[in-house]
């Protein structure tokens, strides 16, 4: 039977329900984009909550946002953009079967992600210290209006983004271990590519969060 | 950069011919670093603009810069420019639904103040009625007639 011959040609990474590696890669990427679409829709609800409360309480938002640190937020923006670059370079290294570069770029991406979280930790500590917390937990002083609403939105948006960063570190470590094992090459690097797409999305969300929360006057 | 432009054209061609399945479009390093540099510059612009005191224009400007940054990330870092068009379609449809989501909610927020909570009526309509009454009074009609009309209206109710 010809099927045995076809099976013999199947590379190890090719699942049995796909005809060619190309088809498998395209399908995986399509699925990833659907997931990213869902992520965008889910975050859009939070952005809309921000827009709604900002529309109804513009003065509160103006005053409360002064209590966020622009240098810290700006630094984190640069960190995330740089991590996006190293991630893109990691995918490029996989495309060109450069395992050493792949591993180092993944390590750099994970390192930048950790730096982001450390800065976030200091930011959150400052907010906790001043009692700038969401809803009924708000015990801060010195902001007119309804600052607990602003900090509710701040913590939910940056918190969910932060969870995405943590999840990103998780999948990056998984990809790093597989890279060390030598799983990826120019022939097969779909997981690297899809983790890359996810990581860029985390960067994309922050690109909108930073000006809206930290900067808008 | 001309090398990059040439590569770009090659890749676009490949995508158009649909024969790109399984092929990878390896972008030159210059593209990655040019995008990275642009993202840093645009971040700087966002920060500087926020201190320029643009007032109500600050959000549109900040969002416009953010959209440019996002397009760079999506197009080059996420390779969407060189990808299967189906993936772009998913992104476009997603953005379309987000647009609908925002448009519907904003139309509610912007018009909510026009609702009179007691009369469950449009304030706008009340204002029009008041204007009509004022115009009628100004035109010198007798107040009695106006009252009669009022009574008739009440009777109809």
């Amino acid at each position: 039977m010809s099927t045995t011959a076809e099976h013999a040609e199947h590379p190890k990474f090719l699942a049995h329900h796909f005809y060619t590696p190309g088809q498998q890669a395209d399908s995986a990427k399509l699925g990833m984009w659907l997931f990213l679409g869902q992520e965008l829709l889910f975050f859009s609800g939070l952005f809309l909550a921000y827009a709604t409360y900002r529309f109804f309480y513009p003065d509160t938002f103006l005053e409360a946002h002064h209590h966020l640190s622009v240098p810290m937020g700006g630094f984190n923006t640069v960190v995330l953009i740089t991590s996006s670059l190293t991630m893109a370079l990691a995918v490029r290294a996989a495309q060109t079967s450069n395992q050493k570069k792949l591993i180092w770029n993944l390590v750099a991406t994970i390192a930048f992600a950790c730096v982001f979280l450390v800065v976030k930790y200091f930011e959150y500590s400052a907010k906790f210290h001043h009692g700038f917390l969401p809803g009924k937990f708000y015990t801060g002083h010195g902001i007119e209006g309804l600052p607990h609403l602003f900090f509710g939105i701040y913590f939910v948006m940056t918190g969910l983004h932060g969870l995405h960063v943590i999840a990103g570190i998780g999948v990056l470590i998984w990809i790093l271990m597989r890279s060390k094992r030598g799983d990826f090459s120019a022939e097969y690097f779909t997981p690297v590519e899809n983790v890359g797409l996810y990581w860029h999305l985390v960067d994309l969300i922050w690109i909108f969060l930073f000006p809206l929360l930290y900067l808008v006057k | 950069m001309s090398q990059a432009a040439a590569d770009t054209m090659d890749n676009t061609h490949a995508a158009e011919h649909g024969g790109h399945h399984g092929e990878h479009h390896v972008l030159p390093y210059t593209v990655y670093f040019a995008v990275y540099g642009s993202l840093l510059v645009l971040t700087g612009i966002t920060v500087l603009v926020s201190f320029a005191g643009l007032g109500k224009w600050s959000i549109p400007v900040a969002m416009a810069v953010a959209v440019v940054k996002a397009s760079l990330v999506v197009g080059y870092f996420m390779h969407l420019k060189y990808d299967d068009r189906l993936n772009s379609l998913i992104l476009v449809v997603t953005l379309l639904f987000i647009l609908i989501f925002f448009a519907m909610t904003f139309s509610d927020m912007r018009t909510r103040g026009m609702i009179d909570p007691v009369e469950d009526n449009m304030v706008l309509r009340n204002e029009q009625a008041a204007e009509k009454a004022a115009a009628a009074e100004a035109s010198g009609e007798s107040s009695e007639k106006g009252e009669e009309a009022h009574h008739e209206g009440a009777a109809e109710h």
Side-chain angles (χ1 to χ4, degrees):
Chain A
M1 290 276 282
S2 61
T3 43
T4 20
E6 275 172 28
H7 268 253
E9 282 168 24
H10 262 216
K12 206 176 121 195
F13 56 80
L14 183 60
H16 70 274
H17 52 287
F18 290 111
Y19 288 108
T20 64
Q23 186 204 17
Q24 177 173 266
D26 284 351
S27 306
K29 221 173 178 184
L30 179 66
M32 195 64 202
W33 272 103
L34 281 168
F35 172 69
L36 296 187
Q38 173 279 131
E39 289 276 289
L40 286 175
L41 287 170
F42 140 63
F43 265 104
S44 76
L46 298 174
F47 279 101
L48 193 54
Y50 169 91
T52 307
Y53 284 109
R54 197 193 151 92
F55 180 82
F56 286 124
Y57 310 105
D59 297 336
T60 298
F61 269 57
L62 264 181
E63 215 182 315
H65 100 275
H66 286 299
H67 295 268
L68 301 183
S69 161
V70 176
M72 278 188 170
F75 176 75
N76 257 353
T77 307
V78 173
V79 166
L80 267 197
I81 288 174
T82 311
S83 78
S84 246
L85 173 72
T86 56
M87 187 69 237
L89 291 177
V91 174
R92 191 189 186 280
Q95 283 178 326
T96 53
S97 297
N98 191 331
Q99 203 191 344
K100 206 176 164 193
K101 267 190 184 164
L102 169 61
I103 287 169
W104 278 113
N105 276 307
L106 286 175
V107 168
T109 309
I110 294 168
F112 285 125
C114 292
V115 170
F116 179 90
L117 286 179
V118 168
V119 173
K120 209 80 215 130
Y121 166 77
F122 284 115
E123 282 192 82
Y124 274 9
S125 309
K127 300 295 165 292
F128 275 69
H129 180 72
H130 290 111
F132 292 152
L133 292 168
K136 63 174 181 177
F137 303 106
Y138 183 86
T139 53
H141 299 285
I143 307 176
E144 298 277 309
L146 302 159
H148 59 281
L149 282 178
F150 176 83
F151 287 104
I153 285 167
Y154 167 79
F155 272 105
V156 172
M157 292 187 92
T158 58
L160 272 170
H161 179 266
L163 283 179
H164 277 77
V165 173
I166 292 169
I169 292 174
V171 284
L172 279 165
I173 288 173
W174 170 61
I175 288 299
L176 177 64
M177 308 236 287
R178 289 192 64 184
S179 301
K180 280 189 172 167
R181 208 168 64 188
D183 279 5
F184 307 120
S185 67
E187 287 188 322
Y188 176 68
F189 58 90
T190 306
V192 184
E193 206 173 19
N194 281 349
V195 166
L197 288 177
Y198 171 81
W199 189 253
H200 293 310
L201 181 98
V202 173
D203 182 29
L204 275 185
I205 305 275
W206 186 259
I207 283 176
F208 286 91
L209 277 183
F210 172 58
L212 284 176
L213 289 173
Y214 290 76
L215 292 176
V216 158
K217 304 282 181 221
Chain B
M1 206 54 206
S2 64
Q3 176 61 39
D7 280 13
T8 303
M9 278 176 67
D10 275 354
N11 288 328
T12 316
H13 258 269
E16 275 168 7
H17 287 293
H20 61 295
H21 288 268
E23 270 177 43
H24 333 119
H25 309 291
V26 182
L27 297 179
Y29 280 118
T30 47
V31 170
Y32 289 107
F33 287 104
V35 168
Y36 177 62
S38 310
L39 288 174
L40 289 184
V41 169
L42 287 168
T43 302
I45 289 175
T46 311
V47 174
L48 288 178
V49 158
S50 78
F51 291 106
L54 293 179
K56 65 170 185 170
W57 285 102
S58 66
I59 294 185
V61 169
M63 286 302 96
V65 176
V67 166
V68 173
K69 286 169 76 178
S71 310
L72 286 171
V73 171
V74 170
Y76 295 96
F77 282 178
M78 296 170 95
H79 292 180
L80 199 59
K81 195 165 179 260
Y82 312 100
D83 230 357
D84 200 316
R85 286 286 172 267
L86 192 54
N87 297 339
S88 306
L89 181 70
I90 290 171
L91 179 63
V92 169
V93 171
T94 303
L95 295 178
L96 180 71
F97 274 89
I98 291 174
L99 187 72
I100 294 170
F101 187 26
F102 272 65
M104 299 287 250
T105 312
F106 279 137
S107 71
D108 169 39
M109 287 193 303
R110 287 213 163 268
T111 53
R112 195 176 284 187
M114 293 176 185
I115 307 292
D116 181 349
V118 181
E119 296 289 326
D120 194 24
N121 218 334
M122 297 291 279
V123 170
L124 200 62
R125 215 177 286 159
N126 293 347
E127 280 171 2
Q128 282 173 347
E131 268 174 31
K132 254 187 201 169
E137 234 173 88
S139 71
E141 284 197 349
S142 71
S143 57
E144 279 175 32
K145 245 187 179 176
E147 268 185 19
E148 264 173 44
H150 213 153
H151 278 288
E152 273 171 37
E156 268 174 40
H157 274 280

